[in-house]
Amino acid sequence: MRITLLCVGKTDFPFIVEGMKLYEDRLKHYCKFSTVCIPALKGVSSWTKEQIKEKEGELILKSLGLTKDKAAAKKHVVLLDERGGKYSSEAWASRIEKLVLLDKDVFFVIGGAYGFSDAVYSISSEKLSLSDMTFSHQIVRLIFMEQIYRAFTIISKEPYHHR
Amino acid sequence: MRITLLCVGKTDFPFIVEGMKLYEDRLKHYCKFSTVCIPALKGVSSWTKEQIKEKEGELILKSLGLTKDKAAAKKHVVLLDERGGKYSSEAWASRIEKLVLLDKDVFFVIGGAYGFSDAVYSISSEKLSLSDMTFSHQIVRLIFMEQIYRAFTIISKEPYHHR
């Protein structure tokens, strides 16, 4: 199973870079895992939120190798979105287990500060919400990687590695 | 307003220590904020989960300066617990705003790996759940401090400081 975590905007905080590295190392025992960051747009201070969202959407689709009109055949795209489905960690592990069986390339996408464009929604396979609370899109990277790691420990019936 | 974040077990990961420091520095602009860590129990490998939970509970009550029979008059104790209430970040900000008006010392308590003893539940003022998912009790510290910080930026109608 190949999992890609796609983020918009580079990771600003050194502590988040460090935490992501820790979970990336752990995840490599369970799947092919990589992160891809789309650099934040430059020279857009005069742009509206909608314009930024549209442009970021184009870059997300490009990075996924998809267009609005070409749905994902071998690609399963999951958006981290406040309107998405909510799971307990156990239910989430079952979901991951099913995705493994689908034998598709799975992309988890964490959007920018203004969310996703309609084009991105249109190519997505599903949406996932971590919480009713809004977390910083930087911290979400970390939380989410820990949840993927936790899911694999649940699937493998291993004790969670607290340290 | 004085806010104390009480945790069980020292923070293991350097990246979490670093992240907590960042949010602690930011929170000091809004309230008197401090964190207290109760050291993990030692020599307890032969103890049951229940015994560990009980002992940790005693240490939590001691640290809060409360006993089971002495309810909190000037202390408002919020447990981070999977069975707690869920809030959006905006609703959470309103809740924090109300706590400010109560003029009590507010303690947020993040338990150990096995949760809270009945004694701790009995002295708590309320319970809060961050997500249907179970997060590592280490990462919860970070997520939660970011949510307190986010709440104060919402209350103060300030733009969220993304960096």
Side-chain angles (χ1 to χ4, degrees), chain A residues 12-13 15 18-19 22-23 86-89 130-136 139 143 146-147 150 163, chain B residues 12-13 15 18-19 23 86-89 92 130-136 139 143 146-147 150 163:
Chain A
D12 292 323
F13 297 121
F15 78 88
E18 208 184 316
L22 183 138
Y23 288 110
K86 291 193 175 70
Y87 295 85
S88 67
S89 294
L130 298 182
S131 170
D132 291 340
M133 289 179 163
T134 305
F135 298 135
S136 111
I139 283 191
I143 300 172
E146 194 258 344
Q147 280 307 305
R150 184 179 291 267
R163 282 198 60 96
Chain B
D12 291 324
F13 297 121
F15 77 86
E18 208 184 314
Y23 289 110
K86 291 194 175 72
Y87 295 84
S88 67
S89 294
W92 171 241
L130 297 181
S131 172
D132 291 339
M133 290 179 163
T134 306
F135 298 135
S136 112
I139 283 191
I143 300 173
E146 194 257 345
Q147 280 307 305
R150 185 179 291 267
R163 285 196 59 97

Side-chain angles (χ1 to χ4, degrees), chain B residues 15-31:
Chain B
F15 77 86
I16 297 203
V17 174
E18 208 184 314
M20 286 173 75
K21 197 184 162 316
L22 183 137
Y23 289 110
E24 189 164 339
D25 288 346
R26 289 187 179 184
L27 277 167
K28 285 185 171 160
H29 296 284
Y30 302 99
C31 60

Side-chain angles (χ1 to χ4, degrees), chain A residues 1 20 50 141:
Chain A
M1 186 189 199
M20 287 173 75
E50 282 304 316
R141 300 170 189 191

Side-chain angles (χ1 to χ4, degrees), chain A residues 7-90:
Chain A
C7 309
V8 175
K10 83 174 186 27
T11 307
D12 292 323
F13 297 121
F15 78 88
I16 297 204
V17 173
E18 208 184 316
M20 287 173 75
K21 197 183 162 318
L22 183 138
Y23 288 110
E24 190 164 338
D25 289 346
R26 290 187 177 183
L27 277 167
K28 285 186 173 160
H29 296 284
Y30 302 99
C31 62
K32 287 176 185 153
F33 182 88
S34 60
T35 55
V36 174
C37 268
I38 296 171
L41 300 173
K42 283 183 182 156
V44 294
S45 56
S46 66
W47 290 28
T48 64
K49 290 179 183 180
E50 282 304 316
Q51 285 173 318
I52 291 172
K53 220 161 70 173
E54 283 299 319
K55 185 65 191 171
E56 284 178 350
E58 284 171 27
L59 297 172
I60 290 170
L61 263 57
K62 194 176 160 194
S63 178
L64 292 170
L66 294 171
T67 63
K68 214 167 103 180
D69 306 317
K70 193 181 140 205
K74 288 287 289 176
K75 292 177 181 176
H76 190 87
V77 179
V78 184
L79 307 182
L80 273 80
D81 188 89
E82 59 184 15
R83 289 175 291 172
K86 291 193 175 70
Y87 295 85
S88 67
S89 294
E90 289 70 24

Side-chain angles (χ1 to χ4, degrees), chain B residues 79-93:
Chain B
L79 307 182
L80 273 79
D81 188 89
E82 57 184 16
R83 290 176 288 172
K86 291 194 175 72
Y87 295 84
S88 67
S89 294
E90 289 69 25
W92 171 241

